[in-house]
């Protein structure tokens, strides 16, 4: 996104000997970007996230001011050879942006700003101007400061959604009522035999619980995606009522597989999801509809 706002933005590779504490340069090489992506940020509390953010960015600021840290107390001068090959001759940073994928605890602001001022006073400032400013930014701050491309938020949400889908499923916090589901399975057992239906029964239960747990995680982490999935599945539920209206039990499995393909296509087009992920979610949606009576093959129900 920064590169779309500044035509002269320069990303900085870590090879061959590190990036010197900088991940990018912009505005005639006077504004530096230090970036940090905290893994599993949604699983940590705000205080722990702030501590990780401060520790990481202190290390970057040390390198920009050409210091090393001994036992987190004493500063030792250490030349930054990487920056000698990155910043053009005569250029110094006039502002440094510390950009993190989460920024929810204001105590990190004072800690990092005070630390930067302390470093500048003791540094030779070969690469940092004495008046260099400092800003800490999370996703909201950087998108408010810069012009955001129309597809930016959708791209970020899509990546987060796919990462969430790839995470191992756990049990939902509230187990569903399964009486109606079990009665539907009993109808299939009577028609096709327990041996044939048992693996189908087990797979459907597993997919149903996975879908409920997925909705819980979406609601907690990606509420916009949660609402979108709920809207789409509400439409699917209406379609299911028509698709399975009055079908004989003999056609239940065939009709279910057909409808799963239709659900997959809707997820590809409307979420949107890659086809492999859509197939996985479609199985969950179908199992959920069977469990919650959206799909029905029992006679006289």
């Amino acid at each position: 996104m920064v590169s779309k706002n500044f035509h002269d933005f320069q990303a900085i590779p870590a090879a061959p000997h590190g990036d010197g504490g900088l991940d990018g340069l912009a505005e005639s090489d006077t504004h530096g970007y230090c970036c940090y992506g905290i893994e599993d940020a949604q699983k940590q509390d705000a205080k722990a996230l702030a501590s990780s953010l401060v520790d990481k960015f202190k290390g970057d600021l040390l390198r920009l001011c050409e210091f090393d840290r001994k036992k987190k107390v004493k500063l030792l001068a250490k030349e930054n050879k990487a920056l000698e090959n990155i910043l053009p001759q005569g250029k110094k940073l006039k502002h440094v942006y510390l950009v993190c994928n989460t920024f929810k605890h204001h105590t990190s602001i004072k800690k990092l700003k005070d630390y930067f001022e302390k470093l500048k006073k003791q540094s030779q400032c070969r690469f940092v101007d004495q008046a260099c400013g400092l800003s800490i930014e999370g996703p909201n701050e950087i998108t408010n400061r810069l012009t955001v491309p129309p597809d930016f938020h959708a791209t970020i949400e899509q990546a987060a959604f796919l990462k969430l889908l790839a995470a191992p499923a756990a049990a939902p916090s509230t187990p569903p009522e399964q009486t109606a589901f079990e009665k539907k399975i009993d109808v299939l057992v009577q028609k096709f035999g327990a041996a044939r239906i048992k693996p189908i029964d087990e797979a459907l239960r597993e997919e149903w619980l996975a879908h409920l747990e997925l909705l819980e995680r979406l609601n907690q982490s990606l509420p916009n995606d949660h609402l979108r999935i709920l809207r789409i599945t509400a439409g699917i539920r209406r379609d299911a009522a028509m698709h399975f209206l009055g079908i004989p039990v003999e056609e239940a499995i065939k009709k279910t597989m057909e409808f799963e393909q239709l659900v997959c296509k809707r997820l590809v087009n409307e979420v949107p999801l890659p086809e492999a992920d859509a197939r996985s979610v479609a199985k969950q949606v179908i199992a959920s509809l069977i469990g919650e009576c959206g799909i029905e093959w029992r006679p006289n129900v």
Side-chain angles (χ1 to χ4, degrees):
M1 185 175 67
V2 179
S3 62
K4 291 182 181 296
N5 281 260
F6 302 106
H7 70 277
D8 66 345
F9 177 78
Q10 175 61 62
I12 300 172
H17 303 297
D19 55 22
L22 281 179
D23 294 289
L25 287 167
E27 299 189 62
S28 300
D29 302 317
T30 62
H31 287 203
Y33 287 81
C34 305
C35 303
Y36 181 33
I38 300 178
E39 291 289 332
D40 296 321
Q42 69 276 8
K43 296 181 181 179
Q44 303 181 44
D45 61 38
K47 187 174 181 180
L49 291 171
S51 178
S52 297
L53 181 151
V54 168
D55 286 345
K56 195 278 180 184
F57 285 135
K58 275 187 174 181
D60 289 336
L61 296 174
L62 277 169
R63 287 187 285 171
L64 296 181
C65 293
E66 296 191 287
F67 288 115
D68 197 1
R69 195 163 41 188
K70 185 176 182 181
K71 295 183 179 180
K72 296 188 177 182
V73 178
K74 187 177 180 180
L75 295 175
L76 300 175
K78 184 178 182 180
E79 288 187 348
N80 193 327
K81 296 292 186 181
L83 285 185
E84 291 178 355
N85 295 313
I86 292 171
L87 276 172
Q89 185 70 29
K91 292 284 185 177
K92 289 189 178 184
L93 298 177
K94 295 181 179 179
H95 200 93
V96 174
Y97 293 98
L98 308 179
V99 182
C100 189
N101 61 337
T102 181
F103 179 44
K104 299 178 180 179
H105 207 282
H106 66 258
T107 56
S108 55
I109 299 174
K110 183 179 188 303
K111 290 178 182 178
L112 288 168
K113 285 181 175 285
D114 285 350
Y115 190 70
F116 192 38
E117 290 303 315
K118 172 187 173 182
L119 293 178
K120 287 190 294 179
K121 288 177 181 177
Q122 300 181 51
S123 173
Q124 295 183 18
C125 289
R126 289 202 301 155
F127 306 113
V128 176
D129 192 274
Q130 276 285 357
C132 181
L134 184 74
S135 299
I136 303 100
E137 296 184 331
N140 290 335
E141 291 75 23
I142 195 169
T143 53
N144 287 336
R145 178 171 63 87
L146 302 179
T147 301
V148 180
D151 61 346
F152 175 76
H153 288 296
T155 302
I156 294 297
E157 286 192 358
Q158 178 78 345
F161 188 16
L162 294 179
K163 183 177 180 180
L164 188 146
L165 283 178
S173 59
T174 304
E177 168 58 49
Q178 300 189 29
T179 304
F181 174 83
E182 289 168 352
K183 289 180 178 178
K184 292 182 187 179
I185 295 299
D186 287 343
V187 171
L188 294 180
V189 169
Q190 292 170 19
K191 184 66 181 179
F192 300 105
R196 292 181 63 186
I197 298 304
K198 182 179 179 180
I200 297 175
D201 178 13
E202 292 174 348
L204 287 173
R205 290 178 194 269
E206 182 179 338
E207 296 290 356
W208 182 15
L209 296 178
H211 183 66
L212 293 175
E213 195 268 338
L214 171 63
L215 292 178
E216 287 182 356
R217 283 186 289 151
L218 281 173
N219 188 37
Q220 294 168 2
S221 305
L222 299 167
N224 290 337
D225 284 307
H226 179 246
L227 290 174
R228 185 161 67 248
I229 290 293
L230 289 181
R231 285 194 296 267
I232 293 170
T233 52
I236 290 170
R237 188 183 298 273
R238 290 191 297 269
D239 293 346
M242 297 297 295
H243 189 84
F244 289 87
L245 186 63
I247 67 162
V249 66
E250 292 84 356
E251 296 184 23
I253 295 175
K254 177 184 175 183
K255 282 283 187 179
T256 300
M257 294 178 67
E258 290 176 355
F259 194 65
E260 183 180 308
Q261 296 303 312
L262 297 176
V263 171
C264 181
K265 289 179 181 178
R266 287 195 64 168
L267 293 172
V268 168
N269 295 327
E270 297 179 34
V271 175
L273 285 176
E275 189 168 344
D277 293 298
R279 284 198 297 270
S280 176
V281 176
K283 290 180 183 297
Q284 295 181 9
V285 171
I286 291 295
S288 181
L289 290 174
I290 293 173
E292 297 162 10
C293 298
I295 291 177
E296 184 60 77
W297 53 70
R298 289 176 291 172
N300 305 317
V301 175

